[in-house]
Amino acid sequence: MTVLVIGATGKTGRSVVEALTARGVKVAAASRTPDTAHHGDAVRPVRFDWADRGTWAPALEGASGLYMVGPYAHPTGETLVGELLAEAPDLRRVALLSVIGADRLPPEVMMADWERDVRASGKEWTILRPNWFIQNFGNAFAAGLRDKGALDLPAGDAALSFVDTRDVAEVAAAALAEDGHTGQTYDVTGPQSLTYAEALKTIGDAAGKDLTYHPISHEQAAENLRAAGVRERAITWQRGLYDLIHEGVNAPVTDVVERATGRPARSLAQYAAENAATWR
Ligand SMILES: NC(=O)c1ccc[n+]([C@@H]2O[C@H](COP(=O)([O-])OP(=O)(O)OC[C@H]3O[C@@H](n4cnc5c(N)ncnc54)[C@H](OP(=O)(O)O)[C@@H]3O)[C@@H](O)[C@H]2O)c1
């Protein structure tokens, strides 16, 4: 089996490449700039761009499996997942990266469209709906935590079962390489539910510094995003995600990682210990 990994240079895709190659599965790693992507000798880099249909068929050549990060930054990306699958007759199995609560999010998020088209594709599909990534603390939130020791978010005191992207990737690899996951929509979560204040305490303890969570209003969050040049569409998207958090959708803990991989999900404390220098 060869699996095409779309999003292979990103947070989940990079780990999907590692998880599949560890299982001995052949991987074609997609990127808009495959020449600059470094995955090791066992992986074939291929050029793929959602915005350039001429790249689709050559990237899919020889692939019977697909891990897919959808065209989330594409302004008219709603139909692209279905269109790609319609152009992939030899593809047998698909794992789609979605998000927890996808069916309750505003249409700007597009994931409900992608999920519908994957389910209707006639392929052996698995949909992964992860919670917010633990890795956000070491990526998107890292500079603020390092420089100001603070994180401002409109999440109130709601709890989330943050998930490690390596676990999301290992569930995806199991879904693609093993039988028994077809037709499943998995809420993929970490092992415990934490408020942002509790999460920052965990990270601060590992980094040896005080980190403070400031709950802010939706309006303040939108203003901050506008000031940073974020487009209205993405601001609406963010608002939808935070509304779900307030409704408690992100709080439950599932056993999906343990069932799919045979071991417990990684904790935020483990990630914080591994990456303590990031926040110093
Ligand atoms: N952050 C969270 O907490 C969270 C939680 C749940 C779900 N999600 C969802 O996860 C998705 C992002 O996944 P990720 O974090 O694994 O990825 P990521 O780290 O955001 O990386 C984006 C990937 O997409 C590729 N890409 C960007 N534009 C592309 C295009 N036009 N054509 C082809 N590939 C393109 C990039 O590849 P190149 O640049 O190499 O081309 C890169 O590999 C989003 O849909 C988000 O909603 C995020």
Side-chain angles (χ1 to χ4, degrees):
M1 173 185 214
T2 295
V3 174
L4 173 65
V5 176
I6 296 179
T9 58
K11 286 187 288 299
T12 59
R14 184 167 290 282
S15 294
V16 171
V17 172
E18 285 172 15
L20 287 169
T21 49
R23 287 170 173 267
V25 176
K26 290 190 196 133
V27 172
S31 170
R32 288 164 297 175
T33 54
D35 297 343
T36 60
H38 303 292
H39 296 291
D41 296 342
V43 175
R44 182 166 60 92
V46 293
R47 193 167 113 69
F48 175 86
D49 188 343
W50 282 110
D52 178 358
R53 282 165 194 260
T55 65
W56 292 10
L60 284 160
E61 179 81 41
S64 55
L66 174 66
Y67 174 76
M68 183 158 41
V69 174
Y72 66 87
H74 200 290
T76 54
E78 296 89 339
T79 59
L80 294 184
V81 163
E83 288 164 18
L84 178 85
L85 294 175
E87 287 187 26
D90 297 336
L91 198 65
R92 190 165 57 85
R93 214 166 248 190
V94 182
L96 172 74
L97 181 68
S98 182
V99 68
I100 211 160
D103 46 341
R104 299 174 57 177
L105 286 165
E108 285 81 357
V109 179
M110 300 185 286
M111 286 179 176
D113 297 304
W114 303 342
E115 288 193 357
R116 184 198 56 228
D117 289 347
V118 164
R119 291 190 180 104
S121 66
K123 312 292 185 195
E124 296 174 10
W125 57 265
T126 308
I127 292 170
L128 307 178
R129 289 181 166 183
N131 210 328
W132 284 57
F133 298 155
I134 284 176
Q135 275 70 7
N136 294 339
F137 291 100
N139 290 284
F141 304 152
L145 292 174
R146 202 168 41 237
D147 303 340
K148 293 189 289 179
L151 182 61
D152 303 348
L153 291 177
D157 59 1
L160 298 86
S161 50
F162 298 100
V163 65
D164 193 303
T165 50
R166 295 169 293 182
D167 287 336
V168 178
E170 283 169 29
V171 175
L176 287 163
E178 296 172 6
D179 293 333
H181 300 282
T182 297
Q184 299 295 321
T185 299
Y186 288 138
D187 282 352
V188 192
T189 79
Q192 59 183 156
S193 206
L194 299 168
T195 64
Y196 269 99
E198 290 166 341
L200 290 196
K201 172 84 171 72
T202 301
I203 292 172
D205 285 350
K209 66 190 273 190
D210 286 334
L211 300 174
T212 312
Y213 166 58
H214 298 138
I216 58 173
S217 67
H218 289 300
E219 292 69 29
Q220 184 62 55
E223 251 175 63
N224 293 352
L225 290 170
R226 263 180 220 116
V230 175
R231 286 172 304 174
E232 287 307 314
R233 184 181 170 85
I235 293 172
T236 306
W237 169 325
Q238 292 279 324
R239 169 72 196 245
L241 293 172
Y242 283 104
D243 281 343
L244 289 192
I245 291 174
H246 282 274
E247 289 165 26
V249 171
N250 298 69
V253 171
T254 70
D255 62 356
V256 166
V257 172
E258 188 148 7
R259 273 193 287 129
T261 69
R263 48 145 199 86
R266 293 169 172 91
S267 66
L268 176 67
Q270 179 180 343
Y271 174 80
E274 288 166 359
N275 295 279
T278 305
W279 303 285
R280 287 191 185 124

